[in-house]
């Protein structure tokens, strides 16, 4: 069942011609296919609005609708807009121009160059310090044979006779909205403003070709795995002088053999024998600057965290660095011989409860583990 046409346009039944036209213009702006691409119901909504406007903007069909409703229109021979294609309806209102200037303010000129993606892999240490890398990628560039002109060697481009070099043409047309100035790229030159008599055989007159490009890129310190760097204007070349696209470089940071990244912090799981943890030891631990010796205090507990401040990854946007956190992993021996079991049993007999009681309270130990 069709919705009430006044409801579709959002106007009262006593609305005048100006109000009806203004309401439809507002809806058309929202529902035009070049403006609204996210709504799957755009086509049906536009058809509904166009049909409502066609009826209410015409005094005779509006009077019939007000008196007899949709059935009265059908008897009068009014066509249901659902019978027409979306493209036909768009052209009936906007013509063949890409945009109606009065409604959408301009037209699409020559196409901007496409964006291009490339990928580089770096180490965690390189991500920490920042590094320059040469990136190689394929992109559309200006044809080398004709230097981007599109003209064969020995010939040259000439000013387009149709648009006089403007690259666009304007015309006045009467549509359902009234008189509109329509503007679009010149069909003779494709918006370039010039033409060639003898197209370049290498690029077919487009002035563009696919080639391999190389670019030195600075990868900033602190970048994370999977992040991308955007290089404006380094993508594919645009047509007819349009701007080039952008280059997006995805950075892959290879996993470190020992260090685990956690945001801007680094984590190292430090293995200790139960003897090392009990009596203390000097251990060598990896850092971004190389191996470093640290002292493990006697009585170190499983899961205890030792934090080396400012030894993690640098902040990508800002100053300072994260921390290096050493998580103590106490290794319990297995496959013990009888002699080893006897020695451990003797050890158990000479130890007391106070040997297993920490000087810190439980809460302090928990805080230390998460600090």
């Amino acid at each position: 069942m069709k919705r009430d046409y006044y409801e579709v346009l959002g106007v009262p039944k006593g609305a005048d011609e100006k109000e009806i036209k203004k309401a439809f213009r507002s809806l058309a702006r929202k529902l035009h296919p070049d403006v609204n691409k996210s709504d799957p119901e755009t086509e049906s909504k536009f058809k509904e609005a166009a049909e409502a406007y066609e009826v209410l903007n015409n005094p005779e069909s509006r009077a019939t609708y007000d008196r007899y409703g949709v059935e009265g229109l059908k008897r009068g021979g009014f066509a249901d807009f659902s019978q027409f294609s979306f493209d036909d309806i768009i052209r009936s209102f906007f013509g063949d121009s890409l945009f109606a200037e009065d409604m959408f303010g301009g037209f699409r000129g020559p196409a901007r160059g496409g964006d291009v993606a490339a990928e580089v892999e770096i180490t965690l240490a390189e991500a920490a310090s920042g590094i320059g890398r040469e990136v190689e990628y394929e992109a559309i560039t200006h044809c080398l044979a004709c230097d981007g002109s599109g003209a064969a060697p020995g010939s040259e481009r000439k000013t387009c006779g149709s648009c006089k070099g403007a690259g666009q043409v304007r015309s006045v047309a009467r549509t359902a909205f009234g008189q509109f100035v329509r503007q679009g790229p010149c069909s003779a030159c494709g918006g370039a403003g010039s033409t060639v008599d003898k197209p370049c055989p290498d690029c077919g007159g487009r002035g563009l070709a696919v080639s391999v490009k190389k670019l030195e890129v600075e990868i900033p310190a602190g970048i994370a795995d999977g992040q991308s760097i955007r290089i404006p204007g380094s993508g594919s070349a645009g047509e007819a002088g349009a701007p080039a696209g952008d280059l997006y470089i995805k950075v892959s940071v290879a996993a470190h053999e020992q260090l685990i990244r956690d945001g801007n912090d680094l984590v190292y799981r430090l293995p200790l024998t139960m003897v090392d943890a009990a009596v203390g030891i000097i251990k060598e631990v990896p850092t971004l600057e190389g191996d470093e010796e640290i002292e493990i205090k006697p009585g170190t507990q499983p899961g205890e965290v030792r934090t080396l401040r400012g030894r993690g990854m640098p902040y990508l946007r800002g100053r300072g660095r994260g921390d290096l956190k050493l998580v103590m992993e106490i290794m319990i021996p297995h496959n013990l011989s009888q002699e080893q079991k006897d020695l451990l049993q003797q050890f158990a007999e000479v130890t007391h409860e106070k040997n297993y009681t920490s000087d810190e309270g439980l809460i302090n130990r928990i805080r230390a583990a998460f600090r």
Side-chain angles (χ1 to χ4, degrees):
M1 182 177 178
K2 290 183 180 293
R3 283 202 300 156
D4 179 74
Y5 289 147
Y6 292 99
E7 179 186 342
V8 170
L9 296 182
V11 296
K13 289 193 174 182
D16 59 25
E17 182 181 342
K18 289 184 178 180
E19 289 176 298
I20 291 173
K21 184 174 292 186
K22 181 179 179 181
F24 180 54
R25 283 182 175 179
S26 178
L27 275 176
R29 235 183 244 110
K30 297 176 183 177
L31 299 174
H32 192 282
D34 287 314
V35 176
N36 186 1
K37 299 179 180 179
S38 59
D39 188 351
E41 298 182 1
T42 293
E43 179 175 341
S44 61
K45 289 179 180 178
F46 190 94
K47 285 183 177 181
E48 183 183 50
E51 183 175 315
Y53 175 75
E54 280 292 287
V55 170
L56 300 184
N57 190 54
N58 184 300
E60 293 182 8
S61 59
R62 181 176 180 179
T64 301
Y65 176 72
D66 288 343
R67 181 173 296 182
Y68 303 108
V70 175
E71 292 302 319
L73 293 172
K74 290 180 179 179
R75 288 195 295 271
F78 182 80
D80 188 335
F81 267 46
S82 63
Q83 301 173 11
F84 301 103
S85 72
F86 194 27
D87 289 340
D88 288 338
I89 296 174
I90 290 293
R91 277 194 288 270
S92 72
F93 283 98
F94 303 110
D96 291 326
S97 63
L98 294 171
F99 280 102
E101 263 195 308
D102 186 68
M103 178 168 290
F104 298 105
F107 79 106
R108 295 190 207 127
R112 170 184 176 273
D115 295 333
V116 178
E119 186 171 353
V120 296
E121 184 174 350
I122 61 175
T123 65
L124 185 65
E126 291 170 337
S129 62
I131 189 173
R133 277 292 177 84
E134 185 179 71
V135 179
E136 186 175 291
Y137 60 99
E138 283 191 350
I140 295 175
T141 60
H142 294 297
C143 175
L144 295 177
C146 63
D147 197 25
S149 70
S155 64
E156 58 183 19
R157 299 192 71 90
K158 297 180 180 179
T159 301
C160 177
S162 297
C163 65
K164 309 303 180 184
Q168 54 184 284
V169 291
R170 299 162 65 92
S171 62
V172 179
R174 185 171 296 278
T175 73
F177 295 114
Q179 183 169 295
F180 278 81
V181 176
R182 295 186 298 170
Q183 183 172 283
C186 174
S187 59
C189 65
S194 59
T195 60
V196 292
D197 293 331
K198 296 180 179 180
C200 170
D202 285 28
C203 65
R206 292 187 63 198
L208 303 173
V210 177
S211 64
V212 176
K213 298 180 68 175
K214 293 182 179 181
L215 183 68
E216 187 70 24
V217 177
E218 290 297 324
I219 300 174
I223 196 163
D225 181 58
Q227 288 185 311
S228 294
I229 301 170
R230 174 175 168 263
I231 312 295
S234 292
S236 290
E239 294 187 353
D246 300 332
L247 170 64
Y248 288 86
I249 303 171
K250 182 180 178 182
V251 180
S252 296
V253 182
H256 195 277
E257 292 182 358
Q258 297 170 294
L259 299 174
I260 301 170
R261 184 169 183 174
D262 181 20
N264 291 308
D265 293 334
L266 295 174
V267 178
Y268 175 60
R269 299 162 66 176
L270 178 57
L272 296 171
T273 68
M274 67 178 189
V275 176
D276 292 339
V279 303
I281 192 174
I282 301 297
K283 291 286 288 186
E284 199 172 70
V285 299
T287 72
L288 290 173
E289 292 77 23
D291 292 343
E292 183 174 320
E293 289 187 345
I294 65 165
E295 180 184 357
I296 304 299
K297 297 179 179 180
T300 295
Q301 300 299 305
E304 188 174 316
V305 178
R306 174 86 171 272
T307 301
L308 303 183
R309 301 291 181 189
R311 304 297 295 276
M313 298 293 292
Y315 292 101
L316 182 60
R317 296 178 181 86
R319 298 179 179 178
R321 292 174 61 172
D323 302 326
L324 172 57
K325 297 183 178 181
L326 309 176
V327 181
M328 308 301 168
E329 290 195 343
I330 311 303
M331 299 181 293
I332 306 300
H334 55 89
N335 298 325
L336 298 176
S337 67
Q338 188 58 49
E339 180 184 5
Q340 291 169 326
K341 292 178 181 180
D342 292 341
L343 288 172
L344 283 177
Q345 188 61 45
Q346 292 175 29
F347 174 76
E349 291 172 357
V350 297
T351 54
H352 306 282
E353 183 178 346
K354 66 179 182 180
N355 296 118
Y356 294 97
T357 302
S358 173
D359 292 334
E360 299 182 41
L362 177 61
I363 298 298
N364 289 337
R365 283 190 282 123
I366 294 175
R367 286 176 179 171
F370 287 93
R371 193 162 41 238

